[in-house]
């Protein structure tokens, strides 16, 4: 898989699952409605409501809301997509409520892996995608092999739309503040830490401590046996963090945190960490390529402190580490809920957003790759105007170590809550690295037993 990603990257340049970070906000563009909206009885237009957090100020909205508008315009009078805003942090809970009341809409964003495995699959609430892919071979050939395998059950059912895009996650730095003598990815962890000087990293502890979790992932991958350890848990969950690569990386995180964490890091949510970076209060932030959209002139309203997105540079982590999950269910799931007409609309919408033109738009917007797509000349030209995407494209080599994100191999409750709250105590000096990892282990085993 790595060779295929690299070849596409070198030539020109999401996912579920994984799933990006977001600034929370209440505003949305377009219509909103409650789940379960049915086809319009008066106009004959089939209306499908999708509960989503890709709206408003969420970075996923930059592509998604305009895409919905394009679909609605192209299918006016026949199909219409309406969006129901759901807060990202409560999305799985919302889906659980709809599942319990048997009111799941025909199409949903794929919730967490655990939710799919514990709720969707046992009750067979999914609508198998096998026939859809047989009827749409142009989409089937785009599916990432590892994701297709992960999404296929023992009975042969494909339970989701496996991912077709990959987003190798690295970091961004502000060259107006921090000018490393060489690429960050060419440094060792110690070289990187020393090169920062007085510059700061935008960490966070609230929500799933996203930016901190990403950076810790890279530290684990730099430990002896760490990359192999992370890869061994891809597609499953780790219940034992009392292992040397974890403990040593956690100890290294504390050392770097003490010297280089932005002053606002403890108690910071993602929006706070992003704001810290985009106000010149931190020179480095760990985040996915979807943040590229924050550094263009159109997003200047979110900048402060003389920050200029033009001075941002993209790179991977020390030790030439990139983060990408391939064992995922993908971004979308068709369900057994809703009506047959709504499912018809869902299939038409999927055909639209997985068309070549839309995938290229998505890739340019979020800075991801579509490894099995032959890019158009227009895309190649547009890519030349995306300097951050090009930078990471040029830096990815056959020697880049690609590992799954630490959050993806953690039990959800541990990743989304326990990690962040425990991290606060840890960086404040209330426990050792061994104690920190033991808490993660204990809580993971408790969650797995329940």
């Amino acid at each position: 898989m790595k060779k295929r990603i690299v070849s596409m990257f070198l030539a020109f340049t999401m996912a579920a699952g994984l799933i990006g970070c977001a600034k929370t906000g209440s505003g949305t563009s377009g219509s909103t409605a409650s789940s379960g909206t049915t086809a319009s009885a008066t106009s004959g237009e089939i209306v499908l409501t999708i509960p989503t957090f890709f709206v408003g100020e969420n970075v996923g909205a930059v592509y998604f809301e305009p895409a919905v508008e394009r679909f609605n315009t192209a299918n006016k009078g026949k199909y219409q997509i309406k969006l129901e805003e759901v807060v990202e942090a409560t999305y799985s809970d919302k889906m659980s409520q709809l599942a319990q009341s048997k009111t799941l809409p025909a199409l949903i964003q794929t919730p967490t892996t655990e939710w799919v495995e514990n709720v969707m699959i046992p009750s067979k609430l999914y609508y198998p995608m096998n026939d859809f892919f047989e009827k749409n071979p142009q989409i089937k050939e785009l599916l990432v092999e590892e994701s297709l395998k992960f999404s296929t059950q023992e009975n042969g059912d494909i339970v989701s739309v496996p991912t077709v895009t990959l987003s190798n996650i690295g970091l961004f730095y502000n060259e107006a503040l921090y000018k490393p003598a060489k690429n960050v990815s060419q440094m060792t962890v110690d070289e990187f830490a020393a090169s920062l000087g007085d510059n700061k990293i935008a960490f966070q502890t609230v929500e799933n401590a996203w930016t901190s979790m990403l950076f810790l992932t890279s530290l684990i991958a730099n430990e002896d046996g760490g990359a192999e350890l992370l890869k061994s848990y891809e597609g499953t969950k780790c219940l034992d963090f009392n292992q040397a690569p974890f403990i040593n990386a956690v100890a290294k995180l504390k050392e770097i945190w003490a010297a280089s964490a932005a002053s606002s890091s403890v108690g910071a949510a993602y929006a706070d960490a992003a704001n810290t970076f985009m106000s010149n209060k931190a020179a480095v932030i760990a985040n996915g390529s979807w943040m590229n959209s924050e550094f263009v002139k159109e997003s200047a309203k979110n900048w402060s402190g003389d920050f200029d997105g033009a001075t941002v540079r993209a790179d991977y982590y020390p030790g030439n580490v990139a983060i990408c999950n391939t064992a995922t269910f993908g971004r979308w799931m068709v369900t057994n809920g809703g009506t047959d007409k709504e499912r018809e609309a869902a299939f038409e919408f999927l055909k639209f957003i997985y068309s070549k033109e839309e995938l290229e738009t998505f890739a340019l917007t979020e800075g991801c790759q579509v490894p099995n797509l032959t890019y158009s000349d227009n895309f190649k030209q547009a890519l030349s105007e995306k300097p951050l995407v090009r930078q990471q494209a040029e830096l990815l080599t056959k020697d880049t170590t690609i590992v799954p994100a630490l959050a993806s191999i953690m039990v959800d409750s541990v990743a989304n809550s326990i990690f962040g709250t425990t991290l606060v105590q840890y960086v404040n000096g209330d426990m050792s690295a061994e104690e920190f990892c033991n808490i993660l282990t204990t809580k993971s085993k408790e969650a797995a037993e329940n």
Side-chain angles (χ1 to χ4, degrees):
M1 186 67 224
K2 183 187 295 185
K3 290 182 179 178
R4 184 166 54 190
I5 298 170
V6 171
S7 64
M8 296 304 298
F9 244 135
L10 294 179
F12 317 119
T13 182
M14 133 170 309
L18 278 328
I19 301 174
C21 293
K23 297 178 289 181
T24 58
S26 59
T28 66
S29 64
S31 301
T32 59
S34 298
S35 299
T37 300
T38 58
S40 170
T42 56
S43 67
E45 185 177 68
I46 301 173
V47 179
L48 172 66
T49 298
I50 302 175
T52 177
F53 47 82
F54 291 148
V55 293
E57 295 184 20
N58 185 290
V59 292
V62 177
Y63 163 76
F64 190 61
E65 286 188 318
V68 169
E69 292 177 5
R70 289 191 292 271
F71 175 82
N72 287 342
T73 299
N75 293 277
K76 188 174 183 179
K78 191 172 183 180
Y79 303 108
Q80 181 185 7
I81 300 296
K82 291 188 176 182
L83 303 179
E84 176 191 0
E85 181 175 6
V86 180
V87 177
E88 183 173 5
T90 63
Y91 187 79
S92 291
D93 291 338
K94 173 70 173 180
M95 293 304 100
S96 292
Q97 294 170 9
L98 296 178
Q100 290 170 5
S101 61
K102 298 182 180 180
T103 56
L104 279 172
L107 182 66
I108 62 173
Q109 280 177 242
T110 305
T112 64
T113 297
E114 283 183 315
W115 190 93
V116 174
E117 293 177 338
N118 295 331
V119 177
M120 206 75 177
I121 293 176
S123 299
K124 202 172 181 180
L125 299 177
Y126 63 88
Y127 190 93
M129 298 300 295
N130 304 60
D131 288 345
F132 175 79
F133 292 129
E134 290 305 314
K135 294 176 181 177
N136 297 277
Q138 77 282 5
I139 298 177
K140 184 178 182 180
E141 67 184 14
L142 298 176
L143 304 179
V144 173
E145 182 179 350
E146 290 84 350
S147 182
L148 174 59
K149 181 178 179 181
F150 186 79
S151 303
T152 304
Q153 298 303 292
E154 291 184 1
N155 64 1
D157 284 353
I158 303 173
V159 303
S160 67
V161 182
T163 190
V164 304
T165 63
L166 296 176
S167 297
N168 285 291
I169 299 174
L171 54 77
F172 298 99
Y173 64 88
N174 186 348
E175 199 171 48
L177 303 176
Y178 169 59
K179 293 185 177 180
K182 58 182 178 181
N183 292 329
V184 172
S185 53
Q186 294 176 343
M187 301 181 189
T188 65
V189 170
D190 289 338
E191 285 175 336
F192 170 68
S195 74
L196 286 171
D198 294 331
N199 288 299
K200 304 302 179 182
I201 303 174
F203 288 125
Q204 68 178 100
T205 60
V206 176
E207 297 162 346
N208 59 0
W210 175 252
T211 62
S212 305
M213 186 91 76
L214 289 175
F215 193 78
L216 178 56
T217 301
S218 73
L219 296 180
I220 295 169
N222 273 278
E223 292 294 324
D224 289 340
E228 293 74 19
L229 185 61
L230 288 168
K231 292 176 184 178
S232 71
Y233 288 109
E234 189 165 24
T236 184
K237 299 298 178 183
C238 175
L239 303 181
D240 180 13
F241 294 91
N242 295 320
Q243 302 181 61
F246 292 135
I247 295 171
N248 294 339
V250 167
K252 178 62 70 173
L253 175 64
K254 190 173 191 176
E255 178 184 319
I256 294 174
W257 192 293
S260 303
S263 59
S264 60
S265 293
V266 173
Y270 169 75
D272 303 311
N275 181 64
T276 295
F277 183 74
M278 292 188 292
S279 60
N280 280 338
K281 294 178 182 177
V284 177
I285 187 169
N287 202 9
S289 54
W290 47 84
M291 199 181 188
N292 290 336
S293 61
E294 297 282 6
F295 307 134
V296 298
K297 291 181 179 179
E298 290 77 6
S299 298
K301 65 181 184 296
N302 299 321
W303 305 346
S304 61
D306 295 324
F307 176 85
D308 184 353
T311 64
V312 173
R313 301 293 178 263
D315 207 333
Y316 293 111
Y317 297 97
N320 200 8
V321 170
I323 300 171
C324 185
N325 303 329
T326 57
T328 68
F329 285 113
R331 180 167 287 201
W332 298 102
M333 296 191 77
V334 177
T335 80
N336 281 321
T339 66
D340 289 340
K341 287 292 186 180
E342 289 172 334
R343 225 170 343 269
E344 176 187 326
F347 288 136
E348 289 301 317
F349 183 62
L350 291 174
K351 285 193 285 187
F352 175 81
I353 60 174
Y354 286 99
S355 66
K356 182 171 184 172
E357 182 177 356
E358 283 298 314
L359 286 172
E360 290 186 340
T361 300
F362 181 78
L364 288 169
T365 302
E366 298 214 355
C368 63
Q369 311 89 51
V370 191
N372 296 326
L373 181 69
T374 300
Y375 295 124
S376 68
D377 290 338
N378 287 339
F379 176 85
K380 299 173 193 177
Q381 176 60 38
L383 181 62
S384 67
E385 301 169 3
K386 297 278 186 176
L388 296 178
V389 179
R390 287 192 65 188
Q391 285 164 23
Q392 288 192 323
E394 292 165 355
L395 288 169
L396 193 74
T397 72
K398 62 181 178 61
D399 298 319
T400 303
T401 298
I402 301 175
V403 297
L406 177 60
S408 71
I409 68 169
M410 282 184 171
V411 175
D412 287 346
S413 60
V414 175
N416 295 331
S417 177
I418 302 300
F419 179 85
T421 56
T422 309
L423 181 62
V424 173
Q425 300 176 62
Y426 175 61
V427 297
N428 283 339
D430 296 334
M431 66 182 68
S432 66
E434 288 81 3
E435 290 171 325
F436 179 87
C437 289
N438 191 54
I439 289 175
L440 297 185
T441 299
T442 300
K443 294 298 182 180
S444 296
K445 291 180 178 179
E446 289 176 355
E449 292 172 356
N450 294 331

